Amino acid sequence: MNGQNGGGAGQVDVLVVGAGFSGLYLLHRLRGMGFSVQVIEKGSDVGGTWYWNRYPGARCDIESLDYSYSFDEDLQQEWSWPDRYSVQPDILRYADHVAERFDLRRDITFDTTVTAASWNEDTGRWTIDTDTGGRFVATWFIMATGCLSASRLPDIPGRDDFEGQIYHTGLWPHEPVDFTGLNVGVIGTGSSAIQAIPIIAEQAKHLTVFQRTPNFSVPAWNGPLDPEDERERKENYAEIREFSRWSSGGFYSAAKDEALIEQTDDAVQKEIERRWAEGGFYVMDVYGDIMTDARANEVVAEFVRNNIRSRVRDPEVAELLCPKAHPFGTKRLCVDTDYYETYNRDNVTLVDLKTTPIEAITVTGVRTTEADYDFDAIVYATGFDAMTGALTNVDIRGRDGVSLRDKWKAGPRTYLGLMVAGFPNLFTITGPGSPSVLSNMMTSIEQHVEWVTDCMAHVRDRQMARIEPTVAAEDRWVDHVSETAADTLYPEANSWYMGANIPGKPRVFLPYVGGVGTYRKICEDVRANDYEGFEIAR
């Protein structure tokens, strides 16, 4: 592996934090535009979320042929994916290939964490400090740290007392973990747990799953990628990619605009079954009103619940696994392979934390209000401080020393999810207030990187020094993001979209729910109107 490890200092045009898919594309594109760039990455290699999330069963929930770069025609034609939905090792192999293909590692410093960054009004530059003692000065500062990179352990009494093996799905060891013959407890039933549980159950002597809130999950129907499908997709990639860029979710899917409640019961059933047979997120596009009309949503929700009941033999367990406290899709929809069937195994037990909450982690395991459970290993599948955690974990200070943490105390405030008033020349890739986690991240990453780098070139070519949004533009965008979310069912769920998984975090809907295509049009209009809402100055 090439690249730098630790230390480092110097002056560059652009300092990028993160060597995931955002950071890699930023580095490649900015280099080609004549900027000097340094990327800082806390991991030992490229890959971002796919570097850290190595838990059993880790797999992308967007199809491989969509979850890939489109900026280089040779790359997208020559790379071949083994499966319809790619596993973590294959995605990491792809990131490695991209880094090698474009010789990116020579400008990446690994094993280094950015701890602080401050704007100097006099020099018009950012000073960035790292945990290794390195200091960088840059005109542009870009946080490409990802939406799901600040992993979270739950604040449970006695958490540090357990003497067995402890794992977090978002910080998985790089060496294989073997659960053969072990009693294992998994805390959490979100996306990573739903992927990991079937694999762990195959190995463990006994697996106990602690569930607070059941999640909706749809089958992936995964398998080897059909060569004919791949050939056809690649022949039509230009058209498909363009469709995706202007679609709602950023991937190739024919969404229905009609309202479910205006259809006959028979037509609705057939259409849901057709989408269900396609697998994955396609069921989200079944009708245009399922995320805005509670009656339409409940039809789809009950279809999914009936599917769960048909797959789980024990009726009581099946009902515990049926989500009833939030509308379908308002929490991150999970995509699974044999998740529900896992509860038919004799070595799997489901514990309902709504009726028997966890009181403490003990030396030997987990204590609920009803029983003590002894484990050899505990797996925390408890998620992330999503969208804002990786940004506020760094002490970022803008004009007059104001910290980003303080500015965002009541919730994140951005313009377009890209910039923050009072923080000149700071960009956030797929930040709060952008479609990000409600989309195919690769589509959103490319759109963000291209808009941001074009904006930087515009400022440079006009011989100007800085750009930042006005407070008024930021206020209008925050209001628009909130109002758009309020027109949907999303705020009805206590989800990480709302920051509800973090005690004390403001309850604000974090991503922009207006859709990838709508968002792209807004960004293009801002640029066409001479970067409306931004101040550009010397």
Side-chain angles (χ1 to χ4, degrees), residues 152 155 212 385 388 392 405 408-412 495 498-508 510:
R152 171 186 175 269
D155 188 17
R212 183 181 62 183
D385 185 352
T388 58
T392 56
R405 293 170 190 159
W408 285 7
K409 270 186 178 178
S495 66
M498 298 287 297
N501 64 318
I502 305 295
K505 190 170 181 175
R507 188 179 171 86
V508 176
L510 298 170

Side-chain angles (χ1 to χ4, degrees), residues 117 126 141 143 388 390-398 401-414 419-423 426 428 432 474:
W126 284 91
F141 180 42
M143 291 292 283
T388 58
L391 298 169
T392 56
N393 283 346
V394 179
D395 184 14
I396 301 175
R397 296 184 177 268
V402 174
S403 76
L404 189 66
R405 293 170 190 159
D406 287 343
K407 170 151 184 168
W408 285 7
K409 270 186 178 178
R413 305 189 69 79
T414 72
M419 297 197 84
V420 182
F423 294 76
L426 166 67
T428 57
E474 183 179 82

Side-chain angles (χ1 to χ4, degrees), residues 256-274:
K256 270 186 173 291
D257 293 328
E258 305 98 281
L260 181 149
I261 58 172
E262 296 175 357
Q263 315 302 314
T264 65
D265 292 346
D266 184 58
V268 167
Q269 187 71 13
K270 287 180 178 177
E271 185 60 22
I272 297 176
E273 288 175 351
R274 186 179 74 82

